[in-house]
Amino acid sequence: MIKFKAFLFLHRHLLRAVCVAFAFALAAGITFNIIVKPYAVYADGTKVEDPYIVSADGEELFIVEDEDTAEQVVRDVMEYYTPEDGDIDSIEIEEELKIEDKTLFVGVEPPTVITEKEAVEMILASNETDEPMIHVTTESKVDEKKPVEPEIVYEETDELFEGNTELKSEGEDGEKIVTNEVVMVNGEEESQEPVDEEIVKEPVDTVMYLGTKERPHDTAWADYSGETFGTMDGTKLVNYGKQFVGNPYKWGGTSLTNGADCSGFIYAVYQHFGYDVPRMGFYKMGKGVCLAEAKPGDVVYYSGHYAMYAGDGKIVHAYNSRAGICVSSIHAPGKILTIRRFVEE
């Protein structure tokens, strides 16, 4: 009987010891699991146990601390590329973005976690290169003010020769608002297309006099067609040419100091003011005018001779070897065949 009681006593103590040992083992197992749980880490060593990964079209972009931070990074980037002006129609990212838990493993080097600011800066820097991380496309309507040019209307007058014009009143630009559909990718304009416009200020027409007076038959060739070469006060041409009065005539020459012939004189004067006229054939150039409407700088053509009209019935020209460059009456060289205008104000 005593032996049996002793056995029960020993058995109870053994069972208690086993239970205590199991409890310690269980606690130790839990502690071990806590110690070896995988994590990610910031650059300063701070651990993150449940980080989130952001990927684009299946390619990992970066890892952040949590889902809220990941979503905020995306919002920050989209906001950065949102135009300040205009009404936004849409904003979207071309790539398929995914925000999901980052799978971590025990025994491998912990992945690096970056901050919201670092993630945004990384994306923006990448998007400045030839291989952007993502493409943010925005479509917006942008209003732009533009001038509306005035129309030109003509008022006939017999004070001007037929076909000639003269300004009566200057017009004034109007204004319109043009609405453009603007598509931008990562802040760079891809396309712009006007979709609407509204006139906010009507333009004022420019009014021009249009001559109807018949030209007198004071030149042999009544050809008043053609176009001028440019805009200039012909008096400047004449005053420049007069500086060389007294210099010699030289057949085939184009030097206003050492010698020029009649066409060489015209050629050199116009060349000085940047007009690259041919050396010969002036009677076929410019716009034809009659003697009654001739202005300084016009080229007068006679049979075998050219001169520059100087105003008041005078011409300046390289006359001949005896007279050289001189000023004469417009009728001195003979019958006027045609008068051609190269420039006008």
Side-chain angles (χ1 to χ4, degrees):
M1 186 67 175
I2 293 174
K3 290 182 179 181
F4 179 71
K5 288 181 179 180
F7 173 77
L8 288 177
F9 177 78
L10 291 174
H11 181 73
R12 287 173 183 168
H13 279 279
L14 181 60
L15 182 61
R16 185 180 300 164
V18 171
C19 289
V20 170
F22 179 76
F24 273 109
L26 181 62
I30 293 172
T31 303
F32 176 77
N33 285 339
I34 293 174
I35 292 174
V36 299
K37 182 175 181 178
Y39 58 86
V41 64
Y42 277 108
D44 64 0
T46 303
K47 296 177 181 178
V48 179
E49 293 184 350
D50 297 303
Y52 271 72
I53 181 174
V54 178
S55 59
D57 289 342
E59 181 179 349
E60 180 178 318
L61 301 183
F62 53 85
I63 302 172
V64 291
E65 184 171 352
D66 51 38
E67 186 175 12
D68 289 342
T69 303
E71 291 175 349
Q72 188 59 50
V73 169
V74 176
R75 286 194 293 269
D76 290 345
V77 171
M78 295 178 76
E79 183 178 350
Y80 179 84
Y81 289 122
T82 300
E84 295 182 1
D85 300 327
D87 299 324
I88 302 300
D89 291 334
S90 67
I91 178 168
E92 59 184 26
I93 295 176
E94 179 181 316
E95 291 78 9
E96 182 183 357
L97 287 187
K98 281 188 177 181
I99 299 174
E100 52 193 349
D101 287 314
K102 171 66 176 176
T103 302
L104 302 175
F105 300 95
V106 177
V108 298
E109 184 177 351
T112 301
V113 177
I114 61 177
T115 65
E116 174 191 331
K117 183 174 181 293
E118 289 171 334
V120 172
E121 290 177 348
M122 180 178 68
I123 293 174
L124 298 182
S126 168
N127 287 356
E128 294 293 327
T129 69
D130 294 334
E131 297 183 0
M133 275 189 175
I134 60 175
H135 297 80
V136 181
T137 301
T138 61
E139 293 184 5
S140 59
K141 289 185 173 64
V142 179
D143 290 338
E144 177 184 11
K145 289 184 178 180
K146 286 190 174 183
V148 180
E149 294 185 359
E151 297 286 339
I152 299 176
V153 296
Y154 292 92
E155 184 177 310
E156 292 186 346
T157 175
D158 59 4
E159 296 295 318
L160 297 175
F161 286 111
E162 186 177 4
N164 285 350
T165 58
E166 184 178 297
L167 179 66
K168 178 182 180 182
S169 61
E170 190 74 59
E172 184 179 334
D173 282 350
E175 187 176 81
K176 63 182 178 181
I177 296 178
V178 178
T179 301
N180 297 300
E181 183 74 45
V182 180
V183 177
M184 303 183 76
V185 177
N186 289 351
E188 297 292 329
E189 186 176 303
E190 287 286 303
S191 65
Q192 177 174 300
E193 182 180 354
V195 293
D196 191 23
E197 67 176 48
E198 177 186 2
I199 303 292
V200 294
K201 180 184 176 184
E202 293 289 345
V204 177
D205 291 338
T206 296
V207 181
M208 300 288 295
Y209 286 122
L210 178 62
T212 60
K213 183 167 66 173
E214 186 178 353
R215 288 180 174 83
H217 298 290
D218 52 11
T219 60
W221 301 348
D223 176 13
Y224 305 117
S225 62
E227 299 289 338
T228 56
F229 300 153
T231 302
M232 182 179 174
D233 180 2
T235 303
K236 294 181 180 179
L237 294 159
V238 172
N239 290 340
Y240 179 73
K242 282 183 175 180
Q243 296 180 70
F244 304 99
V245 168
N247 287 346
Y249 173 95
K250 181 179 179 181
W251 188 85
T254 58
S255 172
L256 298 174
T257 53
N258 298 324
D261 61 15
C262 63
S263 60
F265 173 79
I266 304 293
Y267 169 83
V269 171
Y270 271 91
Q271 283 279 325
H272 175 76
F273 289 95
Y275 290 98
D276 190 19
V277 298
R279 175 70 175 78
M280 300 289 288
F282 300 137
Y283 66 91
K284 298 182 290 186
M285 299 163 52
K287 180 177 72 174
V289 297
C290 63
L291 176 58
E293 60 184 319
K295 294 180 180 180
D298 291 347
V299 177
V300 185
Y301 178 59
Y302 309 86
S303 179
H305 186 69
Y306 290 106
M308 180 179 291
Y309 186 60
D312 298 325
K314 303 292 185 180
I315 54 174
V316 57
H317 57 147
Y319 201 172
N320 51 38
S321 57
R322 184 174 63 256
I325 297 175
C326 62
V327 175
S328 309
S329 165
I330 193 170
H331 298 293
K335 186 176 182 179
I336 300 172
L337 299 181
T338 186
I339 302 174
R340 311 301 296 182
R341 179 164 297 160
F342 293 176
V343 296
E344 60 185 343
E345 292 183 274

